[in-house]
Amino acid sequence: MNTGAPANRDAQGMPATGGGAGRRASAGLDLSQWKYLSGEAREPQMHAIVTVRADGTEDGGAAGPVLAQVLAVDCSSSMAYPQEKLRAAHQAAVAALRLLPDGTPFAVVRGSHSASVVYPETETMVRADARHRAEAERAVHRLIAGGGTCIGSWLDLSRRLLAEAEAPIGHVLLLTDGRNEHDQLMPLPDVLDACAGRFVCDAWGIGDGWDGRELLRVTSRLHGRASSVQEEAVLAREYEQLMHRLLAKSIPELVISVTPMAGAAVRYLKQVFPTEVELDPLDPGGEATRRFVTRAWGDETRRYQLCLSADPAGRPRGEDLQLAVVSLDVPGDEVEVAPPLPCLVHWTDDEALSGYSDIHVEHFEQHQRLGEAVAAATDAHRDGERDLAQQHLGTAVRLAHAIGADQSLGRLERLVEIDDPAAGRVRLRPGVAAVDFEHLITASSHSTYGPASGAADALTPGSLIAGGPGAATARCAACDGRVPAAARFCPLCGHGLAGRP
């Protein structure tokens, strides 16, 4: 918890691990929160950021293949125009195939208004070796475009293939250039329900006819990432980078458990970094403890937003109370997990204390608002309301500037000329196309690690232990936005903050 780093933790709050080859993989746990809640609030909620870091996984060396791979290639009619799209799809699929280690179960699926396995020749998977990779490459180069688009059928066939694979991590790499126009043939929501928890899916958009929010709906439910390419020629390189990341993963799943105390309940846990991912509890109607499964880990860090409801009735004021316990669990004994951490609450009548919010919580909530602004701008532009689209993009620029999301600002600059990022004053560039907004939507789902360094300068151990505002945000009187509690000026609107040094 954010109350100063104990001696056995590193600078990021993770359990220290010894160096050297052959060390056990470990999973570290940290929790950041602002513990003060008003005892008079209606339906009070406690928000916290849970950070999980896996380390040393590459030294573990799991026996046998870890990954089973399905390549789902869009071969609908639109992939034929321009020809560069289908050629790029061929090259990217081949690049991925060449990286599969011997023994990896794999299959190639042709997607249109239906789905079929083009390699191998039956609805099964084969294990990679020199002969099978070469035959699969030839099958990929024979793919031609024709038909419509039903993404649900592609995912359903992938599910059935992966169900027979003897590998702990199932993965689907899906490419599409169009919208899910034949959804009625196999409704996507039903398919996602059947696929959730069975495999991880990364989805890519190519060309100018795909729907960014549709890809996010797939990847958020299936624990993957949505991405896109603006130039077909770079797709093969992107696939290679993705495969290298996949092949470095060796922990199939990691469970985050949240056990609330009496008077508290878990509202949700969702992944907020590096991408936004929905997490459903394993047994939502069972005991109070909620267990959330996260998929496919390598050496990496992920962050989650935890929301707990709490009832102050009958609870003592002015002291720290345990609201919940957060713990990690990895099946088997190959991974050393960090000890559980408490989530606290301190009921108070001091409005100055309860008015603050944790700075890390606020960072990710502002990132969510950035994504909402981008989605609103997309809808406005689609409806021909350029002025409204420009207004929403101005909001997105202001938020990206405030949280230090430089990559997001760079992508926004492709759509608008930025006159004043702090105030969100922008001008929509001439010639902006609908697909430019779709690229922005997928990119906006990739979040930054946490508050910008300048906003976190006051995070000293002394201020944290003393319960001061160093790890918190407060509301700006001018724009009502959340700003670092120690800031002299609001980064959202530039307003001077009274009483600040």
Side-chain angles (χ1 to χ4, degrees):
M1 185 162 41
N2 241 348
T3 54
N8 65 336
R9 288 179 176 258
D10 63 18
Q12 296 185 17
M14 301 302 169
T17 55
R23 63 177 179 170
R24 288 183 66 191
S26 64
L29 179 66
D30 195 20
L31 189 146
S32 178
Q33 66 166 126
W34 185 254
K35 63 187 177 184
Y36 299 98
L37 289 182
S38 170
E40 304 301 323
R42 296 182 58 186
E43 300 181 356
Q45 297 177 7
M46 173 61 69
H47 291 265
I49 297 299
V50 177
T51 300
V52 180
R53 175 183 173 187
D55 187 42
T57 63
E58 295 181 4
D59 298 324
V66 174
L67 181 72
Q69 179 65 56
V70 173
L71 295 170
V73 183
D74 187 344
C75 293
S76 59
S77 297
S78 57
M79 285 291 288
Y81 307 100
Q83 294 181 351
E84 286 77 13
K85 281 193 294 186
L86 191 58
R87 185 179 304 118
H90 289 169
Q91 294 170 345
V94 167
L97 287 169
R98 289 176 178 174
L99 289 175
L100 294 178
D102 284 354
T104 303
F106 78 97
V108 181
V109 168
R110 180 187 186 276
S112 60
H113 55 275
S114 60
S116 59
V117 180
V118 295
Y119 191 83
E121 295 181 351
T122 57
E123 285 197 6
T124 57
M125 302 185 80
V126 294
R127 293 188 178 273
D129 59 25
R131 178 174 67 86
H132 287 141
R133 282 190 293 265
E135 290 175 352
E137 286 184 27
R138 290 192 289 272
V140 165
H141 282 300
R142 289 194 296 268
L143 288 173
I144 60 174
T149 303
C150 179
I151 294 175
S153 67
W154 312 354
L155 292 173
D156 184 69
L157 176 55
S158 299
R159 176 188 60 81
R160 288 184 274 123
L161 289 168
L162 290 168
E164 303 299 324
E166 296 180 0
I169 298 176
H171 182 261
V172 175
L173 180 48
L174 184 150
L175 176 71
T176 184
D177 81 325
R179 299 176 188 274
N180 195 31
E181 60 183 356
H182 291 96
D183 185 67
Q184 74 280 1
L185 298 177
M186 192 167 288
L188 187 57
D190 296 340
V191 174
L192 291 178
D193 286 343
C195 294
R198 306 298 181 111
F199 58 85
V200 175
C201 178
D202 289 305
W204 287 78
I206 189 174
D208 60 5
W210 50 278
D211 186 329
R213 274 173 287 194
E214 202 162 67
L215 297 190
L216 288 177
R217 193 175 306 124
V218 171
T219 57
S220 178
R221 192 71 193 280
L222 302 182
H223 293 210
R225 299 188 183 196
S227 302
S228 59
V229 290
Q230 293 180 309
E231 299 178 6
E232 288 86 355
V234 305
L235 184 63
R237 184 171 70 249
E238 295 288 346
Y239 266 37
E240 288 175 348
Q241 293 175 354
L242 174 58
M243 290 304 301
H244 283 302
R245 291 197 300 269
L246 282 170
L247 294 172
K249 297 182 184 294
S250 61
I251 302 177
E253 65 179 45
L254 187 154
V255 178
I256 304 173
S257 295
V258 184
T259 303
M261 303 297 103
V266 181
R267 294 203 61 190
Y268 61 79
L269 181 78
K270 62 182 179 181
Q271 181 177 301
V272 291
F273 173 85
T275 56
E276 298 169 0
V277 173
E278 297 178 20
L279 296 176
D280 295 321
L282 288 178
D283 185 13
E287 58 186 32
T289 296
R290 293 289 181 263
R291 301 175 70 246
F292 300 87
V293 178
T294 64
R295 308 285 177 185
W297 286 77
D299 280 7
E300 60 186 298
T301 298
R302 302 181 193 174
R303 289 188 163 189
Y304 304 85
Q305 183 170 351
L306 171 64
C307 178
L308 301 164
S309 62
D311 183 1
R315 304 295 174 184
R317 309 290 172 93
E319 62 181 84
D320 289 354
L321 304 173
Q322 188 164 284
L323 191 61
V325 175
V326 181
S327 60
L328 300 179
D329 179 48
V330 180
D333 58 359
E334 292 82 10
V335 180
E336 180 181 356
V337 297
L341 289 178
C343 182
L344 304 180
V345 65
H346 188 113
W347 298 109
T348 179
D349 296 325
D350 187 340
E351 294 182 3
L353 281 177
S354 62
Y356 289 121
S357 175
D358 178 76
I359 196 169
H360 295 88
V361 170
E362 186 58 29
H363 173 88
F364 290 109
E365 290 189 345
Q366 288 199 39
H367 192 277
Q368 180 178 335
R369 290 193 286 272
L370 190 160
E372 292 169 352
V374 167
T378 303
D379 290 337
H381 186 267
R382 185 177 296 161
D383 294 339
E385 300 181 80
R386 288 179 57 87
D387 290 344
L388 183 57
Q390 177 176 285
Q391 178 183 330
H392 287 305
L393 288 174
T395 299
V397 165
R398 176 170 55 81
L399 290 166
H401 175 75
I403 63 177
D406 293 337
Q407 287 189 339
S408 295
L409 275 176
R411 296 183 184 103
L412 285 161
E413 279 192 297
R414 297 174 182 172
L415 280 71
V416 294
E417 297 178 21
I418 302 175
D419 295 328
D420 185 344
R425 286 199 294 271
V426 303
R427 285 171 288 123
L428 193 64
R429 294 184 184 276
V432 171
V435 70
D436 296 324
F437 286 87
E438 304 302 335
H439 287 295
L440 191 59
I441 282 177
T442 56
S444 297
S445 69
H446 299 206
S447 58
T448 56
Y449 187 80
S453 58
D457 285 343
L459 300 185
T460 62
S463 68
L464 296 173
I465 294 173
T473 64
R475 288 202 178 278
C476 170
C479 68
D480 201 38
R482 287 281 185 179
V483 302
R488 295 175 58 197
F489 298 92
C490 174
L492 301 176
C493 68
H495 178 72
L497 303 176
R500 307 297 166 84

